[in-house]
């Protein structure tokens, strides 16, 4: 009755099922792994955003990149802005509008400074029109903000290119921006959330990062891949049972014909 399972057509089906099952197992495990990674990252970022502000020099220094575990932590730093080396960061939309980030070095003394992202300004009326940028405060200020890692092509997905207008960049990279400056830049940069004294006018604040659902979609996809295993096995068993039923029905229908021919 079950010899048909050894025919080439059925052997092919067996091989397909046996290959599909481990593939679905591995895909499910990969999604569960991504879920754990993203959940841990979401929890870490949320904790860092909500952490109490600490002095910048505890977490960053010239020539030392910001640790990934310290990104988005709240820091404070005092100094004076250097508008002569301010920059605009291109291709930074916010709330669906094209615009720029405004970078201004904050000189902290002792020949060091940190890049401060003072916020966002909308693009000019045309591609060649410069945006309106509120000037930075003069005199000593204290900045509170989120500590960010320097950007790269890999981390941002933005490709560097030459030929940009003077005073504009595509990436916020402290190593590259610091070349040629009269002071050393701290690794990473600070995304301003508060300043004392408050400026009369300022760029729009950069929203806090969206930590997302913590990998919830990856968990759903992992469960989905493992459900596919049950579907594949169930479908395989169903096909076998259907074939057996059809063969039994065929044999039953042939039996009366054989008896009639004999009589």
């Amino acid at each position: 009755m079950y010899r048909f399972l050894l025919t080439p057509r059925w052997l092919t089906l067996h091989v397909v099922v046996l290959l599909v099952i481990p593939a679905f197992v591995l895909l499910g495990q990969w999604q569960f792994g991504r879920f754990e990674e993203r959940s841990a990252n979401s929890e870490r970022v949320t904790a860092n955003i909500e952490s109490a502000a600490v002095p910048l020099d505890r977490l960053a220094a010239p020539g030392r990149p910001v640790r990934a575990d310290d990104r988005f932590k709240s820091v404070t730093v005092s100094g004076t802005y250097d508008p002569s080396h301010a920059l605009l960061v291109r291709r930074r939309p916010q709330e669906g509008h094209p615009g720029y980030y405004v970078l201004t070095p904050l000189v902290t003394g002792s020949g060091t400074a940190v890049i401060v992202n003072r916020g966002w300004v909308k693009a000019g009326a045309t591609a060649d029109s410069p945006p309106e940028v509120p000037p930075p405060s003069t005199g000593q200020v204290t900045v509170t903000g989120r500590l960010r890692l320097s950007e790269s092509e890999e981390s941002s997905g933005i490709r560097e290119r030459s030929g940009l207008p003077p005073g504009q960049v595509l990436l916020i990279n402290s190593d590259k921006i610091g070349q040629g400056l009269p002071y050393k830049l701290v690794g990473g940069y600070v995304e301003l959330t508060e300043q004392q004294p408050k400026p009369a006018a300022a760029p729009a604040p950069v929203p806090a990062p969206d930590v997302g659902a913590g990998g919830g979609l990856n968990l759903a996809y992992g469960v989905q891949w493992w459900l596919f295993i049950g579907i594949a096995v169930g479908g395989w068993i169903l096909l076998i049972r259907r074939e057996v039923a059809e063969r039994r029905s065929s044999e039953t229908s042939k039996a009366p014909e054989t008896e009639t021919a004999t009589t």
Side-chain angles (χ1 to χ4, degrees):
M1 177 61 69
Y2 290 94
R3 290 182 180 179
F4 69 89
L5 294 175
L6 299 178
T7 61
R9 180 170 68 90
W10 279 94
L11 287 174
T12 301
L13 177 61
H14 304 333
V15 171
V16 170
V17 172
L18 292 175
L19 290 175
V20 160
I21 290 174
F24 286 175
V25 169
L26 292 175
L27 286 169
Q29 289 178 334
W30 179 76
Q31 290 289 357
F32 289 138
R34 292 290 293 162
F35 163 70
E36 293 177 355
E37 291 175 6
R38 291 188 173 183
S39 294
N41 179 71
S42 178
E43 292 173 359
R44 185 183 305 113
V45 170
T46 299
N48 287 353
I49 292 174
E50 297 174 351
S51 64
V54 299
L56 174 65
D57 56 12
R58 290 189 187 179
L59 304 178
R64 188 181 76 191
V66 175
R67 296 191 317 133
D69 287 347
D70 290 334
R71 69 193 191 282
F72 299 115
K73 283 187 175 180
S74 185
V75 295
T76 59
V77 58
S78 298
T80 56
Y81 284 117
D82 176 14
S84 65
H85 292 99
L87 295 169
L88 293 175
V89 188
R90 297 170 64 90
R91 299 180 183 176
R92 300 301 167 125
Q94 189 160 301
E95 297 182 354
H97 301 289
Y100 303 80
Y101 284 158
V102 180
L103 306 183
T104 310
L106 185 74
V107 181
T108 59
S110 304
T112 63
V114 59
I115 297 172
V116 175
N117 180 358
R118 296 198 292 123
W120 178 88
V121 293
K122 65 180 181 179
T126 67
D128 297 328
S129 301
E132 295 183 6
V133 181
S137 302
T138 59
Q140 187 84 357
V141 298
T142 298
V143 167
T144 301
R146 294 179 287 264
L147 183 60
R148 301 293 304 269
L149 279 65
S150 284
E151 296 178 342
S152 65
E153 291 185 344
E154 293 74 19
S155 66
S156 67
I158 299 173
R159 294 297 178 187
E160 280 275 34
R161 67 179 180 86
S162 58
L164 297 178
Q168 295 189 13
V169 295
L170 286 168
L171 297 174
I172 310 176
N173 186 298
S174 59
D175 290 337
K176 187 171 182 179
I177 293 174
Q179 295 174 3
L181 293 181
Y183 35 70
K184 295 180 180 180
L185 284 180
V186 168
Y189 65 99
V190 175
E191 196 170 76
L192 186 148
T193 57
E194 185 181 353
Q195 178 183 300
Q196 294 296 335
K198 293 183 178 181
V206 178
D210 182 6
V211 297
L217 283 177
N218 296 101
L219 177 61
Y221 290 148
V223 172
Q224 177 179 286
W225 282 118
W226 283 17
L227 286 175
F228 286 162
I229 297 172
I231 293 172
V233 173
W236 178 56
I237 294 173
L238 181 62
L239 288 174
I240 293 175
R241 295 183 65 179
R242 181 179 297 175
E243 182 73 14
V244 170
E246 290 178 355
R247 287 175 177 270
R248 284 176 176 170
S249 177
S250 176
E251 290 178 0
T252 301
S253 62
K254 287 181 180 180
E257 295 177 3
T258 304
E259 293 175 0
T260 301
T262 302
T263 301

